[in-house]
Amino acid sequence: MDVGYRQDPDQRRAREHVQSRWMEAYEPVRHLDPVLVLTALALTVIGLVAIYSAKLVALTSQSLPPSLYVSRQLLALGIGVVVMVVVAVVDYRHVRIYAPAVYLVSVLLLGVVLSPAGTAFGGAQRWIVLGGFQLQPSELAKLAVLITVAAILHEADRRPGPGVGLGALIVTLIPTALVFLQPDFGTSIVFVWTTAVLFLLGGVQARYLAGLAIAGAVAVIAALQTEVIQAYQVSRLTAFLNAGDASAAQTAAFQTRQSLIAVGSGQFAGKGLFEGTQTSLSYVPENHTDFIFTVIAEEFGFLGSSVVLGLLLVLVWRGLRIAILAKDSFGMLVAGGIVAILTLQVFVNVGMTIGIMPVTGLPLPFISYGGTSLIVWFAMIGLLLNIHMRRF
Amino acid sequence: MAIPPSESSSSVLRLTFLAVMVITLFVALFARLWFLQVMAGDRYVELADSNRLRTVITEAPRGEILTSDGEALVRNRPALAISADRQALLDAAGAPVDEEAERVIERLAVLLELEVDEVLERLASQRRSPFRPVPIAVDVTPEVAFAVQERRELFPAVVSETLPVREYPHGTLAAHLIGYIGEISQQELLRPEFADYRAGDLVGRSGLEQSYEADLRGVTGQRRLVVNARGDVLDVQSDREPVQGADLVTSLDLDLQLATEQLLEDGILASREIRRDDGQLLPSTAGSAIVLDARTGAILAMTSYPTYDPREFVGGVTQEYFDLLADPENERPLVNRAISGLYPPGSVFKTASGAAWVEAGVVTPRSTVECAPAFELGGNTFRNWNRGVNEGMMDLSDALTRSCDTYFYELAFDQWLREENADEPDEVLIRVAERFGFGVTTGIDLPGEASGRVPGRQWRFDYWVANRDNYCRQADLASPGSYASELYSDLCQFGAAWRGGDAVNSSIGQGDVLSTPLQVAASYQAIANDGGLLRPHLGARIVAPDGTVLREIEPEVVGELGVSDQTLQVMQEGLERVVMTDRGTGSSAFRGFPLDEIPVAGKTGTAELRPKVPYAWFAGYAPIDDPEIVVVVNVEQGGGGSQTAAPIVRNIMAHYFGIVLAEDAEFEAGEEILD
């Protein structure tokens, strides 16, 4: 009696069960990366504590609620998580198609920032105020440049010729120029860096890369020499070189000097939460945004600093892993690009607080106060999850 | 869309390259953090502390200076002051930091009725500490202080504060003794004794304020403030309350000091009406008076005329007043002549020189020497003050009573001959005079005491070496054959020699002998006290603010006259007769003084300082049998000691013994005896 398994209900049930188990195993939702998400959330929580500590005394002395900045950042976190889920759900390959649109919107917003509709603060025009919220389009533009250049390189089918490279370069330089005019030197560097790393990962030949590096160096020197960079930026950029000079108080070197004191005086174990004198007495300027790392370093010492850098390294590790496992070159490029942006911002931001990098206005990912930055970083986490889920 | 294996491995390679770069950057961050936080952390902890902690010094109220019965001669009073933060208003070059600072300074100038330049100058004064507000005006009216407090927005970085300032309830009384205070100088700050002083601190500049600085100063308070980056004070971390300085109780008798000052001034002014034998009025330019407790050496009164007003020094003396004080035309009122004035002692030195000749053995106390009208020596005539009169044979007692110069000339020359013939001359006068307190400081607890001089062979030689070139040049310049030419050629060639004439002059306190009125007082106090030389002192005890006595300043015997009882008795007898007998040179001044109740001994002196009018001296003590006080008066260009100085001493004694109080006293000049 030859009875096929289709006829045998038991066999059929068993087989279908195995098959469905097998299919389920490939369900994207079953391939979330919990380590990635939890690490990002942990960093954000550490950031909230640091922001609270940084602003506690200053806000209390002005009779303002000490949680003012934290509650705003929490709202951004909520939006960020939603954005992360949305970005993760839509197949990232569709993102490739939407990339030009995202790019155009970003460039448009950057143009609006520079128009009278933009808001200036501290000598730089970086924000658009929308219904009580400050939007920083340059953060969004980071994402836009990343996916657009990745898409261009992907379309070139991994053999990018000079034409493709030139196109990608133009795509990069437009927002770079707009951000540079704000002026936001740090973010414009991020754009150039992103494209450079994508060229490296995308298989652009070494000689082109070397040519681009030389051209970039010449451009930077030319910018410094021809006073395209405003004087205050030059002094900020070079101040870290003479941070040890005590007489330079209240000058550009003051920030770096106070920052070094905050970090150094944290010693191995830190002074304890809310015990940092440099932090609570406002010696370090901007210590809830660009100089947030000084709060962690002062109050939690080398241990706390290491935990934060360690968690950031975990993100780098997960990102690289996702890049390696990516199904297509677009996924690999986007994941690799996110790792590159993360690394650059961490190195420039932390490096600036410890006196090995110039003072540029780059936030520390997930930690620094700033809603747009946090939302965009959760969007990037969403992208990583997306690429990871759809790696089969 | 599958990635071909070769491409896959290529992208893994490229990602590995990225990973290596990432790790390298993170390692750099970790390494730098390890260096900053673990290796160099200590240094940054210090920097963080110095950032947030500001040390603020609170002045300790300075101790008071009191008379023996507790009356304040100087005390503190709170004064309203307007001070400003230099660092907030001026840059390193002393110019206003910005337009706002400039406007604040202009408003301040208008409010304080000062020139803008004056405000800038005071604010920029490097003598002030940059760590506390610099006083711009002290003793402002409450309205001015109120204006600054109420209009804070017009006067940022300006404060009105209360500063303790010195107050002198008796005005100029005992100004030279109290002294004054001033801000410590940069040079002083470098000295080890001022190690715990800071720029802007006040320090005793003269008088008791200076000599008892350590007791009067107290301990400054210290507060460590926690400040934020804007400089707002958030917390006071540690607090050391200022410890008030201890009070100095002096031996000064307020009533006697007042009387002495008045009687000296009255006497000096009155003596200017006296016409000398040559028809000129006495200049009586300046003078000093000292009243010592004969038993302890404590100073009961001391004054120097002219004087100055210490109140002008409160909050910083003006240049105008300081110039006034420094002008020689005004006889240098800042000088305390009683301890710093150097004069030839003249005949008041005869006690010391008489004792020296007895000790040398050229005479005994009772052996007699002719008091000839003059003494001839090598073609020079050394006359007795009593011109042309041979007063007959005299012993030491008579020689003092009559102040006979030739008695001392004769003996001085005898001794000089002996010394010249000795292999190693024993210069007796220098030795004995030093035991009498001449040529060395007395050790009084006042700064600026002069040591005077009793010259001898060594001094003459050193002086010649220092001046030889000048002598020789003067000899060349003088017209040949003139007196100047002869004099300077002689000095040029032989000026190193201690000659008979030098010895003769020294024996009557002339020539190159110099002494202070205080040395004379200490010397006569030793004679009155039967031989013990005491250290004169103003301080009696140091008393803590709570009234406990921290230190008693005891009488201190610093030497003995070292003469025989007989010599001392003969000297005392001679000094008694100066006042008590009609023959005595001082008797005219004490006419009408109840000498039978209060017998007085003393010595007149008239020091020649040609071409000036002679300086008048009188040193006396009373009562003779149990001396209570020693009084010394010196009047510069006051003529004869008997004429000007002795009457002032008489009036001071009359006040002390309650015979005629100072307010009722009249200055009555004595006979003009230019001994």
Side-chain angles (χ1 to χ4, degrees):
Chain A
M1 209 167 74
D2 186 22
V3 179
Y5 70 91
R6 292 169 195 272
Q7 279 72 45
D8 183 342
D10 285 352
Q11 269 197 16
R12 181 179 170 166
R13 206 176 305 122
R15 194 178 171 92
E16 281 179 353
H17 179 68
V18 167
Q19 196 174 18
S20 81
R21 286 284 299 277
W22 199 83
M23 289 304 288
E24 273 175 25
Y26 287 90
E27 276 288 302
V29 75
R30 299 187 62 85
H31 293 274
L32 285 169
D33 186 343
V35 175
L36 184 71
V37 177
L38 288 176
T39 306
L41 286 172
L43 282 167
T44 310
V45 170
I46 290 172
L48 289 169
V49 173
I51 292 163
Y52 185 80
S53 177
K55 282 287 159 192
L56 177 62
V57 173
L59 289 174
T60 315
S61 70
Q62 295 170 53
S63 308
L64 291 168
S67 57
L68 188 69
Y69 287 80
V70 170
S71 53
R72 282 168 173 246
Q73 190 77 344
L74 270 172
L75 180 64
L77 173 63
I79 297 170
V81 170
V82 171
V83 168
M84 174 179 76
V85 171
V86 169
V87 169
V89 165
V90 184
D91 191 328
Y92 73 93
R93 282 158 290 199
H94 300 309
V95 169
R96 217 162 68 214
I97 296 151
Y98 301 137
V102 174
Y103 179 79
L104 283 176
V105 168
S106 294
V107 170
L108 206 67
L109 286 175
L110 286 177
V112 172
V113 165
L114 288 178
S115 77
T119 304
F121 178 77
Q125 190 145 351
R126 291 185 190 167
W127 295 273
I128 300 172
V129 176
L130 263 183
F133 287 94
Q134 289 188 332
L135 205 66
Q136 199 174 350
S138 58
E139 292 294 328
L140 184 63
K142 283 177 196 170
L143 193 59
V145 169
L146 171 69
I147 57 176
T148 311
V149 174
I152 291 171
L153 291 173
H154 175 84
E155 298 304 329
D157 201 16
R158 305 194 50 77
R159 274 181 194 74
V164 172
L166 202 64
L169 217 53
I170 290 167
V171 160
T172 309
L173 289 178
I174 291 169
T176 302
L178 289 171
V179 165
F180 189 82
L181 289 173
Q182 291 182 356
D184 183 351
F185 188 66
T187 305
S188 55
I189 290 287
V190 171
F191 296 156
V192 175
W193 165 262
T194 306
T195 303
V197 170
L198 289 179
F199 279 10
L200 171 79
L201 297 177
V204 175
Q205 283 170 328
R207 61 172 185 273
Y208 293 123
L209 284 177
L212 280 174
I214 290 167
V218 169
V220 168
I221 290 166
L224 288 172
Q225 287 298 317
T226 56
E227 296 174 4
V228 172
I229 298 184
Q230 291 185 5
Y232 100 95
Q233 277 186 308
V234 176
S235 77
R236 262 163 66 102
L237 288 172
T238 54
F240 77 105
L241 296 174
N242 48 23
D245 182 5
S247 68
Q250 306 304 334
T251 63
F254 179 79
Q255 277 186 327
T256 306
R257 180 180 157 73
Q258 294 302 336
S259 169
L260 279 176
I261 293 173
V263 173
S265 65
Q267 294 187 289
F268 185 73
K271 296 175 184 171
L273 185 59
F274 309 136
E275 299 295 323
T277 56
Q278 291 286 105
T279 297
S280 61
L281 302 177
S282 324
Y283 279 100
V284 184
E286 293 299 315
N287 68 349
H288 61 304
T289 56
D290 291 353
F291 283 88
I292 189 88
F293 189 73
T294 63
V295 178
I296 292 158
E298 187 183 20
E299 302 197 337
F300 303 106
F302 182 75
L303 279 180
S305 309
S306 301
V307 166
V308 169
L309 289 182
L311 288 172
L312 288 163
L313 259 181
V314 169
L315 291 186
V316 167
W317 163 50
R318 299 312 285 186
L320 283 171
R321 185 172 168 271
I322 288 165
I324 290 169
L325 296 176
K327 187 177 187 176
D328 58 7
S329 65
F330 181 68
M332 184 272 283
L333 287 173
V334 169
I338 290 170
V339 167
I341 296 172
L342 183 78
T343 304
L344 179 75
Q345 287 202 202
V346 169
F347 185 73
V348 170
N349 180 282
V350 175
M352 139 186 117
T353 67
I354 60 181
I356 56 173
M357 288 299 281
V359 177
T360 48
L362 276 185
L364 186 58
F366 300 102
I367 310 271
S368 284
Y369 174 76
T372 321
S373 169
L374 190 66
I375 292 166
V376 168
W377 274 108
F378 270 100
M380 294 204 196
I381 295 295
L383 264 178
L384 285 176
L385 288 174
N386 197 334
I387 295 161
H388 191 59
M389 287 189 298
R390 298 184 173 86
R391 66 182 184 274
F392 303 109
Chain B
M1 186 171 85
I3 300 168
S6 68
E7 286 197 4
S8 176
S9 67
S10 157
S11 72
V12 166
L13 192 71
R14 285 161 185 261
L15 283 167
T16 308
F17 185 77
L18 177 65
V20 169
M21 200 160 65
V22 167
I23 304 255
T24 308
L25 293 179
F26 270 84
V27 166
L29 292 180
F30 276 112
R32 175 70 174 167
L33 279 170
W34 177 263
F35 170 75
L36 280 181
Q37 298 191 289
V38 180
M39 290 167 72
D42 293 345
R43 196 168 77 84
Y44 286 106
V45 168
E46 274 174 36
L47 286 170
D49 282 345
S50 69
N51 246 352
R52 75 197 169 93
L53 296 175
R54 298 287 147 84
T55 303
V56 173
I57 300 294
T58 320
E59 304 279 0
R62 201 173 167 86
E64 299 182 350
I65 299 177
L66 311 165
T67 62
S68 56
D69 51 358
E71 182 78 18
L73 289 168
V74 59
R75 62 187 178 208
N76 301 304
R77 106 185 123 72
L80 279 174
I82 300 298
S83 306
D85 182 350
R86 181 199 301 161
Q87 287 182 318
L89 293 175
L90 299 188
D91 59 20
V97 282
D98 53 21
E99 283 177 20
E100 172 62 14
E102 207 173 323
R103 279 194 294 275
V104 171
I105 290 166
E106 278 165 15
R107 284 184 208 123
L108 207 51
V110 172
L111 182 72
L112 301 175
E113 295 173 2
L114 292 167
E115 296 295 322
V116 170
D117 285 351
E118 277 180 279
V119 175
L120 280 173
E121 193 183 315
R122 292 179 194 192
L123 192 55
S125 167
Q126 289 306 312
R127 297 186 305 176
R128 299 285 191 179
S129 163
F131 297 110
R132 59 184 166 201
V134 179
I136 306 296
V138 178
D139 262 338
V140 297
T141 61
E143 288 74 27
V144 169
F146 186 74
V148 167
Q149 278 167 357
E150 287 306 292
R151 304 300 302 276
R152 294 234 46 86
E153 72 282 4
L154 292 182
F155 296 104
V158 177
V159 291
S160 75
E161 55 184 351
T162 308
L163 293 178
V165 300
R166 282 312 223 186
E167 181 183 39
Y168 303 86
H170 295 281
T172 63
L173 187 82
H176 293 103
L177 312 184
I178 298 165
Y180 52 90
I181 54 177
E183 279 186 24
I184 194 160
S185 68
Q186 291 297 322
Q187 290 89 334
E188 283 169 319
L189 279 173
L190 299 174
R191 301 219 298 264
E193 64 261 39
F194 295 115
D196 60 337
Y197 285 70
R198 303 163 141 258
D201 278 356
L202 294 169
V203 63
R205 279 261 159 266
S206 75
L208 295 167
E209 294 270 30
Q210 184 180 342
S211 47
Y212 288 94
E213 168 71 17
D215 299 301
L216 294 168
R217 185 184 180 222
V219 182
T220 49
Q222 202 171 11
R223 285 189 303 161
R224 275 151 73 81
L225 307 177
V226 178
V227 294
N228 66 11
R230 289 214 315 271
D232 304 328
V233 176
L234 303 179
D235 193 15
V236 179
Q237 202 182 55
S238 67
D239 210 338
R240 186 179 78 200
E241 287 296 321
V243 179
Q244 190 180 338
D247 294 339
L248 169 67
V249 178
T250 65
S251 54
L252 286 177
D253 180 314
L254 179 64
D255 174 61
L256 189 63
Q257 177 72 22
L258 280 163
T260 305
E261 292 195 8
Q262 188 204 324
L263 291 169
L264 178 72
E265 181 171 1
D266 288 353
I268 286 173
L269 296 178
S271 70
R272 291 177 186 168
E273 307 295 317
I274 300 173
R275 206 165 284 282
R276 303 184 66 207
D277 288 350
D278 63 7
Q280 301 295 312
L281 289 175
L282 282 176
S284 295
T285 52
S288 54
I290 300 166
V291 183
L292 284 185
D293 183 322
R295 289 164 224 138
T296 64
I299 290 161
L300 303 178
M302 179 187 267
T303 182
S304 179
Y305 178 89
T307 188
Y308 67 95
D309 193 343
R311 287 169 293 194
E312 293 281 348
F313 286 78
V314 173
V317 65
T318 61
Q319 193 61 43
E320 190 188 356
Y321 191 69
F322 202 85
D323 289 345
L324 202 73
L325 297 180
D327 188 349
E329 290 286 303
N330 295 324
E331 300 292 336
R332 302 182 195 282
L334 279 179
V335 175
N336 182 1
R337 290 177 154 73
I339 62 164
S340 307
L342 279 175
Y343 313 102
S347 297
V348 294
F349 189 65
K350 285 172 179 166
T351 46
S353 73
W357 312 141
V358 172
E359 178 152 330
V362 291
V363 73
T364 66
R366 287 296 180 199
S367 58
T368 57
V369 176
E370 186 186 21
C371 183
F375 177 78
E376 299 288 335
L377 178 62
N380 288 326
T381 305
F382 295 84
R383 296 179 196 284
N384 187 14
W385 62 268
N386 200 357
R387 299 291 157 95
V389 180
N390 188 325
E391 299 208 13
M393 300 302 282
M394 285 186 176
D395 64 2
L396 177 57
S397 169
D398 283 336
L400 289 172
T401 304
R402 288 300 297 156
S403 201
C404 176
D405 295 330
T406 43
Y407 172 94
F408 293 93
Y409 293 155
E410 182 96 37
L411 298 173
F413 183 68
D414 288 354
Q415 174 59 20
W416 177 78
L417 279 178
R418 285 198 198 181
E419 290 174 12
E420 285 296 291
N421 294 328
D423 292 334
E424 282 188 39
D426 168 24
E427 295 182 279
V428 181
L429 183 61
I430 298 176
R431 237 174 357 94
V432 175
E434 187 172 320
R435 294 209 303 264
F436 274 68
F438 293 99
V440 287
T441 53
T442 65
I444 188 176
D445 46 0
L446 283 179
E449 189 193 3
S451 63
R453 175 170 72 215
V454 182
R457 286 168 178 79
Q458 186 63 48
W459 176 82
R460 170 62 74 207
F461 180 80
D462 293 342
Y463 191 79
W464 176 71
V465 168
N467 292 281
R468 178 173 40 186
D469 292 348
N470 185 36
Y471 291 150
C472 297
R473 193 166 47 247
Q474 293 288 339
D476 290 344
L477 289 173
S479 56
S482 69
Y483 173 76
S485 166
E486 273 179 42
L487 176 73
Y488 284 116
S489 321
D490 185 53
L491 284 171
C492 170
Q493 291 174 60
F494 310 113
W498 178 250
R499 305 187 191 196
D502 294 324
V504 163
N505 266 331
S506 291
S507 73
I508 60 159
Q510 288 287 158
D512 294 301
V513 187
L514 288 175
S515 74
T516 65
L518 183 67
Q519 285 174 325
V520 173
S523 185
Y524 278 78
Q525 193 254 346
I527 295 167
N529 202 28
D530 292 334
L533 191 71
L534 295 166
R535 187 176 75 90
H537 59 92
L538 272 163
R541 59 191 166 277
I542 307 295
V543 183
D546 64 4
T548 53
V549 175
L550 299 175
R551 191 166 95 237
E552 287 278 359
I553 295 150
E554 303 287 348
E556 194 183 331
V557 178
V558 291
E560 286 286 324
L561 293 181
V563 297
S564 70
D565 289 350
Q566 193 199 8
T567 308
L568 190 65
Q569 274 169 20
V570 168
M571 281 197 302
Q572 287 172 342
E573 180 192 88
L575 297 177
E576 279 174 43
R577 290 177 182 173
V578 167
V579 179
M580 304 294 288
T581 65
D582 288 344
R583 293 178 68 228
T585 53
S587 62
S588 65
F590 282 84
R591 236 165 253 145
F593 190 90
L595 292 171
D596 45 340
E597 284 170 48
I598 300 161
V600 177
K603 182 75 196 79
T604 55
T606 307
E608 297 284 353
L609 257 176
R610 291 206 172 93
K612 290 180 178 171
V613 173
Y615 286 23
W617 281 102
F618 192 84
Y621 56 86
I624 285 170
D625 30 315
D626 184 16
E628 286 179 31
I629 55 166
V630 176
V631 184
V632 171
V633 166
N634 171 283
V635 178
E636 293 182 14
Q637 304 197 64
S642 57
Q643 189 178 18
T644 311
I648 297 172
V649 171
R650 170 220 158 111
N651 283 349
I652 292 169
M653 286 183 169
H655 178 89
Y656 176 85
F657 292 107
I659 298 155
V660 181
L661 296 182
E663 49 268 36
D664 306 320
E666 292 265 340
F667 173 82
E668 283 177 54
E671 205 177 309
E672 182 182 354
I673 295 173
L674 302 177
D675 58 335

